[in-house]
Amino acid sequence: MAFYTLWLGCFITGMGYSMTMPFISLFISDLGNYSKLQINLYSGLAFAMTFIAQAIVSPYLGSLADRKGRKLMCMRASGVMALTITLTGFAPNAIYIIVMRFIQGSFSGYINNATALMASETPHERSGWVMSQMMTAGTAGNLVGPLLGGALSSFFGNMFGGAWGYRIPFFITGVLMFIVFLGTTFLVHEDFTPISREKMKPMGEIMKSLPSVKLIVVMFITTMLVQSSTMSIDPIVSLYVKSMMPHGGDVAFVAGVVAATPGLGTLIAASRIGHKMDEVGPLRVLRIGLVVGAALFVPMALTNSPWVLAGLRFLLGIASAGMLPAAQTVLTLNTPSESFGRIFSYNQSFQAVGAVLGSLMGSTISGFSNYATVFWLTGFTLLINFVLVLIFAWGISYRNR
């Protein structure tokens, strides 16, 4: 029951995020008379603030998870998200959205804690599949969210006009996250023995006791760079689609489709790739995913069609199924159970830093230059990541390889 409840919780969390955030730049543009540069920068900050907060608080919350359990962390995240996302729907201006996103980030982390909970209670021989399924939950939500958010934004925008088309999806997401809070509270059981603060090992001692510190650090960096490559596109995807449709049309719906296609690709490929990781090792799958992902950003930078962009992002979603899940599987296979909370929280901090760097890079570069430049630099980032994995993970044992 815990697996299905947490899977559904991750699905709703991913759906709620993607139902609102791909359209945040359009929402902000309706809240004031902002210039193109202001809209891009405010959109980037709205994306980044949650992850700035996560990067700051994650190490503390990871220590708390090792002492109190991951279920409590999931309850905290879903409960606060239900409140802050609802309040964001009442935003009068861009600064309000940015502040609410920072507060949300200070208490978030549902997917990461749910993943750590399942990782700590899963036999190693099934870790690849379970990590892929937990990642699939979020990506499946990311698939449904933009389509639902685009449809709701168009429907309520036509009905009520103005920014209300973008406000109502926030209210719906708030209700769904409250349901996740209730489900996690009453349906999830964690086989967890609390560790007192006095008995907890210092982080430095934990790192020294790991089978391969170098490998763990490389996975932290991989998480950061892969997340950066994803977030560099997210804040501008609706604006990029809008620039491809100079004669108008239903921009919100088309942007929703473009935002959703990576989730569809990941959803289709995740289970098969997860089994492949258990067969050949996650590092081999990670290397292939990074190369394919880097190559796909080249035609994305060259196309002028939102539908071609959607198709390429679908293929990117397939490649993504072999990136972050593979990195998390490597961490699972090389971390003692009593340190899962802190190792995964540090990984979340790196993921948050990557999200900050990516969202600010995408919004800033597109504001000063053009959208195609963002795609070129993002592909180059994944190529650098591939080289780092190739160099620093060389000679790792077969179960990781």
Side-chain angles (χ1 to χ4, degrees), residues 56 70 85 88 95 222 242 264 281 290 292 377 390:
I56 295 171
R70 290 96 194 176
I85 290 175
T88 302
I95 301 300
T222 294
K242 186 176 182 179
L264 177 60
L290 290 170
V292 174
L377 290 177
L390 194 65

Side-chain angles (χ1 to χ4, degrees), residues 5 8-13 15-17 19 74-87 110 169-187:
T5 302
L8 185 61
C10 291
F11 172 82
I12 292 177
T13 301
M15 183 182 72
Y17 172 85
M19 191 165 72
C74 289
M75 292 167 57
R76 179 214 69 233
S78 55
V80 174
M81 286 177 66
L83 177 63
T84 55
I85 290 175
T86 300
L87 292 176
Y110 186 92
F170 282 94
F171 302 147
I172 295 173
T173 300
V175 172
L176 292 174
M177 288 309 304
F178 183 67
I179 294 173
V180 171
F181 168 77
L182 294 177
T184 304
T185 301
F186 296 109
L187 298 178

Side-chain angles (χ1 to χ4, degrees), residues 125-180:
E125 62 270 15
R126 299 188 70 232
S127 292
W129 184 84
V130 170
M131 292 299 99
S132 294
Q133 291 305 304
M134 295 302 291
M135 180 62 70
T136 298
T139 53
N142 288 333
L143 164 64
V144 175
L147 297 175
L148 182 59
L152 291 174
S153 296
S154 296
F155 177 77
F156 288 112
N158 292 330
M159 180 178 293
F160 299 110
W164 277 103
Y166 304 112
R167 293 183 188 276
I168 292 177
F170 282 94
F171 302 147
I172 295 173
T173 300
V175 172
L176 292 174
M177 288 309 304
F178 183 67
I179 294 173
V180 171

